[in-house]
Amino acid sequence: MHAAGDPAATESWMTAAQVLQDAGPLVIPEGASAMTIQVEWAPGDPGTPPHRHSGPAFGYVLEGAVRFELEGEPERVVEAGGTFWEPGGDSIHYQDGNALDDARTRFVVTMMCAPGRPMLELVSKEELEERAHLRAPRPTE
Protein backbone atom coordinates (compact mmCIF):
# COMPACT_ATOMS: atom_id res chain seq x y z
CA MET A 1 0.00 0.00 0.00
CA HIS A 2 1.27 3.47 -0.84
CA ALA A 3 1.33 6.28 1.68
CA ALA A 4 -0.44 9.56 0.97
CA GLY A 5 1.86 11.86 -0.96
CA ASP A 6 3.83 8.93 -2.42
CA PRO A 7 4.32 9.63 -6.19
CA ALA A 8 3.39 6.01 -7.04
CA ALA A 9 0.02 6.43 -5.29
CA THR A 10 -0.78 9.69 -7.04
CA GLU A 11 0.08 8.36 -10.53
CA SER A 12 -2.00 5.18 -10.47
CA TRP A 13 -4.96 7.07 -11.96
CA MET A 14 -2.97 7.28 -15.20
CA THR A 15 -3.28 3.51 -15.74
CA ALA A 16 -6.57 2.82 -13.95
CA ALA A 17 -8.80 3.94 -16.85
CA GLN A 18 -9.01 2.26 -20.24
CA VAL A 19 -10.73 3.95 -23.19
CA LEU A 20 -13.27 1.53 -24.63
CA GLN A 21 -15.01 3.87 -27.06
CA ASP A 22 -14.39 7.33 -28.46
CA ALA A 23 -17.28 8.50 -30.63
CA GLY A 24 -18.08 11.71 -32.43
CA PRO A 25 -19.03 14.14 -33.65
CA LEU A 26 -22.08 14.18 -31.39
CA VAL A 27 -25.37 15.99 -31.74
CA ILE A 28 -26.99 16.15 -28.32
CA PRO A 29 -30.54 17.52 -28.25
CA GLU A 30 -30.89 20.79 -26.33
CA GLY A 31 -32.10 20.12 -22.81
CA ALA A 32 -31.36 16.38 -23.14
CA SER A 33 -31.36 14.06 -20.20
CA ALA A 34 -29.19 10.96 -19.87
CA MET A 35 -30.58 7.51 -19.22
CA THR A 36 -28.63 4.30 -18.62
CA ILE A 37 -30.41 0.98 -19.01
CA GLN A 38 -29.43 -2.68 -18.87
CA VAL A 39 -30.91 -4.99 -21.50
CA GLU A 40 -30.96 -8.77 -21.22
CA TRP A 41 -31.98 -10.96 -24.16
CA ALA A 42 -32.73 -14.70 -23.91
CA PRO A 43 -30.88 -17.03 -26.31
CA GLY A 44 -31.81 -16.24 -29.92
CA ASP A 45 -34.00 -13.23 -29.03
CA PRO A 46 -34.15 -10.94 -32.09
CA GLY A 47 -34.29 -7.86 -29.85
CA THR A 48 -36.10 -4.59 -30.43
CA PRO A 49 -37.83 -4.04 -33.80
CA PRO A 50 -36.35 -1.30 -36.02
CA HIS A 51 -36.33 1.96 -34.05
CA ARG A 52 -34.51 5.24 -33.49
CA HIS A 53 -33.38 7.28 -30.51
CA SER A 54 -33.75 11.05 -30.14
CA GLY A 55 -30.06 11.45 -29.22
CA PRO A 56 -26.84 9.48 -29.23
CA ALA A 57 -26.60 6.14 -27.46
CA PHE A 58 -23.47 4.36 -26.18
CA GLY A 59 -23.43 0.66 -25.34
CA TYR A 60 -21.17 -1.90 -23.69
CA VAL A 61 -21.74 -5.65 -23.97
CA LEU A 62 -21.45 -7.29 -20.54
CA GLU A 63 -22.15 -10.87 -21.54
CA GLY A 64 -22.86 -12.76 -24.76
CA ALA A 65 -22.97 -11.11 -28.20
CA VAL A 66 -25.21 -8.44 -29.74
CA ARG A 67 -26.26 -8.49 -33.41
CA PHE A 68 -26.01 -4.77 -34.19
CA GLU A 69 -27.08 -2.90 -37.31
CA LEU A 70 -27.49 0.79 -38.02
CA GLU A 71 -28.82 2.37 -41.19
CA GLY A 72 -26.09 2.54 -43.83
CA GLU A 73 -23.73 0.19 -41.96
CA PRO A 74 -23.34 -3.56 -42.38
CA GLU A 75 -24.68 -5.84 -39.67
CA ARG A 76 -22.01 -6.84 -37.16
CA VAL A 77 -21.70 -8.84 -33.96
CA VAL A 78 -20.38 -7.10 -30.84
CA GLU A 79 -19.09 -9.59 -28.28
CA ALA A 80 -18.73 -9.25 -24.49
CA GLY A 81 -16.29 -6.47 -23.67
CA GLY A 82 -17.08 -4.67 -26.94
CA THR A 83 -18.82 -1.34 -27.44
CA PHE A 84 -21.25 0.20 -29.90
CA TRP A 85 -22.75 3.62 -30.42
CA GLU A 86 -25.32 5.28 -32.60
CA PRO A 87 -25.80 8.95 -33.41
CA GLY A 88 -29.53 9.06 -32.73
CA GLY A 89 -31.81 11.48 -34.51
CA ASP A 90 -33.07 10.28 -37.89
CA SER A 91 -30.85 7.17 -38.13
CA ILE A 92 -32.65 3.81 -37.95
CA HIS A 93 -31.33 1.13 -35.60
CA TYR A 94 -32.36 -2.12 -37.29
CA GLN A 95 -31.02 -4.74 -34.88
CA ASP A 96 -29.84 -5.11 -31.29
CA GLY A 97 -30.74 -8.74 -30.61
CA ASN A 98 -28.91 -11.71 -29.16
CA ALA A 99 -26.49 -13.19 -31.72
CA LEU A 100 -26.26 -16.39 -29.68
CA ASP A 101 -28.78 -19.25 -29.84
CA ASP A 102 -27.43 -21.00 -26.73
CA ALA A 103 -26.70 -18.25 -24.20
CA ARG A 104 -28.21 -15.02 -22.90
CA THR A 105 -26.79 -11.61 -23.80
CA ARG A 106 -26.64 -8.56 -21.52
CA PHE A 107 -25.58 -5.04 -22.40
CA VAL A 108 -25.72 -1.56 -20.90
CA VAL A 109 -26.69 1.53 -22.93
CA THR A 110 -26.48 5.20 -21.97
CA MET A 111 -28.70 7.44 -24.10
CA MET A 112 -29.13 11.17 -24.42
CA CYS A 113 -32.88 11.72 -24.69
CA ALA A 114 -34.56 14.83 -26.10
CA PRO A 115 -37.03 16.44 -23.69
CA GLY A 116 -40.57 15.14 -24.05
CA ARG A 117 -39.54 12.27 -26.36
CA PRO A 118 -39.54 8.58 -25.50
CA MET A 119 -36.32 6.61 -25.02
CA LEU A 120 -36.93 4.95 -28.39
CA GLU A 121 -39.49 5.18 -31.17
CA LEU A 122 -40.40 2.23 -33.36
CA VAL A 123 -40.18 2.79 -37.13
CA SER A 124 -43.24 1.99 -39.24
CA LYS A 125 -43.20 -0.61 -42.03
CA GLU A 126 -44.00 2.18 -44.49
CA GLU A 127 -40.95 4.20 -43.45
CA LEU A 128 -38.74 1.09 -43.61
CA GLU A 129 -39.91 0.55 -47.20
CA GLU A 130 -39.31 4.23 -48.11
CA ARG A 131 -35.77 4.09 -46.69
CA ALA A 132 -34.85 0.57 -47.86
CA HIS A 133 -32.21 2.04 -50.20
CA LEU A 134 -30.32 3.39 -47.14
CA ARG A 135 -29.92 -0.04 -45.52
CA ALA A 136 -26.60 -1.84 -46.08
CA PRO A 137 -26.78 -5.08 -48.08
CA ARG A 138 -27.92 -8.02 -45.96
CA PRO A 139 -25.48 -10.87 -45.30
CA THR A 140 -26.22 -14.07 -47.16
CA GLU A 141 -27.14 -17.11 -45.11
Side-chain angles (χ1 to χ4, degrees):
M1 186 161 180
H2 300 288
D6 180 344
T10 60
E11 294 176 10
S12 65
W13 66 269
M14 295 174 70
T15 58
Q18 176 185 5
V19 175
L20 299 176
Q21 174 173 236
D22 186 4
L26 301 178
V27 176
I28 299 174
E30 186 173 337
S33 62
M35 175 186 298
T36 301
I37 64 169
Q38 177 177 292
V39 178
E40 183 170 336
W41 296 127
D45 194 314
T48 310
H51 62 278
R52 62 174 48 98
H53 299 282
S54 60
F58 307 90
Y60 179 79
V61 181
L62 299 165
E63 176 183 359
V66 174
R67 186 171 313 283
F68 187 81
E69 182 189 1
L70 285 178
E71 189 170 67
E73 296 180 9
E75 174 185 312
R76 64 189 171 105
V77 173
V78 183
E79 296 181 352
T83 63
F84 56 88
W85 89 283
E86 56 187 286
D90 192 46
S91 182
I92 295 175
H93 183 178
Y94 287 96
Q95 296 186 68
D96 68 358
N98 189 345
L100 305 175
D101 290 328
D102 60 350
R104 68 184 184 157
T105 288
R106 289 186 313 124
F107 59 94
V108 172
V109 180
T110 298
M111 296 169 278
M112 305 296 163
C113 304
R117 302 260 315 266
M119 171 181 70
L120 68 79
E121 297 175 85
L122 297 181
V123 177
S124 70
K125 289 181 182 181
E126 294 77 23
E127 185 177 1
L128 288 173
E129 290 172 8
E130 291 170 8
R131 296 173 69 122
H133 66 287
L134 299 174
R135 190 172 187 180
R138 308 293 301 131
T140 55
E141 298 291 316

